[in-house]
Amino acid sequence: FNLTDVAARVGLGQLPRIDEFNTKRRELVRHYFELLDAGGAAARGLGLPPRDFSQTNWHMFQVVLPEAPGVKRADVMAAMQAKGIGTGVHYPAIHLFQVYRRLGWKEGDFPIAERICRHILTLPLFPTMARDDVRRVVEALLQVVPARDA
């Protein structure tokens, strides 16, 4: 909650463009959905976020990787990086942070959250992306994550 002065100034400078940025992100996310659907995301076991265009600003776009032999998030991230595409992990299960473990929370308390957190992958999404950038990300992801029957 505490930004540096420089980060705060950058944020304030961009604030007047927030509607433009959110509109662009929604457009890019729609393209992600379109390409992932057409490319067989379901056949690969990729979990997609809810298609909510009224309640979210789409500051991130994530997929949940399948729990399948040969599909490890670290390997997928490395393969994407080798193709020049950075990915991320947002967010770990907070009840497993040390501070919450000291309060008594433990692995197994929230199994669904834990499973998703082990397999979630954040794909690039920022207002200056082009539709071709989204296409390149999706093509790379679909090459890296094999179809289940493959």
Side-chain angles (χ1 to χ4, degrees), residues 27-120:
E27 173 193 320
L28 295 169
V29 166
R30 281 187 171 92
H31 198 46
Y32 263 122
F33 280 125
E34 175 187 309
L35 295 174
L36 285 164
D37 287 343
R44 288 169 168 75
L46 289 169
L48 302 180
R51 296 166 198 245
D52 180 354
F53 291 94
S54 62
Q55 301 290 320
T56 182
N57 66 4
W58 292 104
H59 73 288
M60 286 189 273
F61 188 84
Q62 299 154 315
V63 297
V64 178
L65 299 172
E67 294 183 69
V71 180
K72 292 184 175 48
R73 181 173 58 196
D75 295 342
V76 171
M77 292 177 78
M80 296 291 282
Q81 185 64 47
K83 295 175 179 290
I85 299 167
T87 56
V89 177
H90 300 89
Y91 294 95
I94 63 168
H95 70 286
L96 298 179
F97 286 10
Q98 202 63 292
V99 67
Y100 293 103
R101 286 180 182 264
R102 281 186 291 226
L103 295 172
W105 300 105
K106 63 190 176 313
E107 194 161 338
D109 284 343
F110 299 98
I112 296 169
E114 292 166 25
R115 177 184 55 78
I116 290 171
C117 289
R118 282 190 305 271
H119 299 279
I120 202 158

